[in-house]
Amino acid sequence: MRKSLVMAAVVLIAATGCGGGTGDTTGAASPTDKADTRAPVAHHLTVTSPAYRDGGTVPRRFTCDGADISPPIDLAGVPAGTRSLAVTVRDLDAPGGTFTHWLIRDIAANTRRLSAGAHPRGAVEGRNSFGRTGYSGPCPPHGDRPHRYVLTVYATDRRPLLSPGTSPGASPDASSGASLDDLRRVLSGHTLATGTLTGRYGR
C-alpha cells in the first residue's frame, strides 16, 4: 500500500512539472517574448519660410508674375543618418492634375537653410512640368481661385542617383532632366523624414 502511494505521488509531481501551475502549455511565446512588429515612428521635418507662413500667400516675387525665383526655407528636425535632402514644389489644384514646379535633389545633409533663388553646390535640379530644368514659380490660370502649392522636403538615407526615366543600363545622373516620378522611385524605402510648407497663390 505504501509503495502504491509513493508511486502515485511521483506521477503527480512529474505531471505538475511538465504542464501544471501557471506554465504555458501551448508553446506560444509570452507577450514579453514576442518581437515588436509595430512600424517605427516616422520622423517629421519642420519646414518654414521667412517669406510666408504655412497656409499663407506666396509672395509675387516667387511666382511667374515676379522674379520667379525659389523661396527661402529653413529646416529643423533633420534626423541622424540623413545622407542628402531633396525638395519638390507641386500645385495640387492645377486643371490637369498635380503639377510639379520644382525638383531638386542631392542637397547636402547638413543644410538647414536655403536662401531665395538658391542653387546649392553639388545639388541637381530636375525637370518640372513646364518641361524646364529648375524652379518655375506658381502661375495659375487667371480667374482661378488661389491654388495650393506644397513644398516638400525629404531627408534620405542615400544619394538618389538616377537618370531621366531611370532606363536600364543608363549611367547615374547622366542628365539633370529626371522627373518627380523618377525621384519617388529611387527614394522609395529610403526616406527617413519629410516635412511640408503650403502656400497659396491666385491671379
Side-chain angles (χ1 to χ4, degrees):
M1 181 68 177
R2 179 175 298 177
K3 185 176 181 181
S4 298
L5 289 175
V6 171
M7 290 298 294
V10 170
V11 171
L12 179 61
I13 292 172
T16 302
C18 291
T22 58
D24 186 353
T25 62
T26 65
S30 68
T32 56
D33 292 332
K34 292 180 180 178
D36 188 351
T37 58
R38 293 174 297 177
V41 177
H43 287 282
H44 175 72
L45 293 175
T46 300
V47 184
T48 58
S49 174
Y52 60 96
R53 63 177 178 80
D54 188 41
T57 299
V58 178
R60 184 184 180 94
R61 181 186 181 200
F62 309 112
T63 75
C64 68
D65 297 316
D68 207 16
I69 61 174
S70 59
I73 58 174
D74 293 315
L75 307 176
V78 177
T82 297
R83 293 285 305 278
S84 70
L85 302 170
V87 180
T88 64
V89 175
R90 297 169 297 135
D91 178 358
L92 302 186
D93 302 307
T98 301
F99 194 94
T100 302
H101 285 261
W102 196 26
L103 167 62
I104 181 169
R105 64 188 188 276
D106 215 5
I107 301 169
N110 62 354
T111 300
R112 297 298 178 267
R113 170 171 293 184
L114 292 176
S115 59
H119 298 280
R121 183 177 180 181
V124 181
E125 297 185 85
R127 184 178 63 249
N128 60 40
S129 294
F130 289 103
R132 300 193 289 264
T133 297
Y135 178 87
S136 294
C139 198
H142 289 279
D144 271 17
R145 66 179 183 178
H147 287 199
R148 294 167 297 163
Y149 295 90
V150 179
L151 185 154
T152 304
V153 180
Y154 303 82
T156 75
D157 66 2
R158 66 186 294 185
R159 292 184 58 207
L161 299 177
L162 47 82
S163 299
T166 58
S167 56
S171 59
D173 279 329
S175 168
S176 61
S179 69
L180 178 61
D181 286 342
D182 295 331
L183 180 65
R184 284 175 167 170
R185 257 193 303 274
V186 298
L187 292 187
S188 178
H190 295 278
T191 300
L192 301 177
T194 63
T196 63
L197 173 67
T198 300
R200 298 176 184 270
Y201 187 71
R203 306 166 75 200

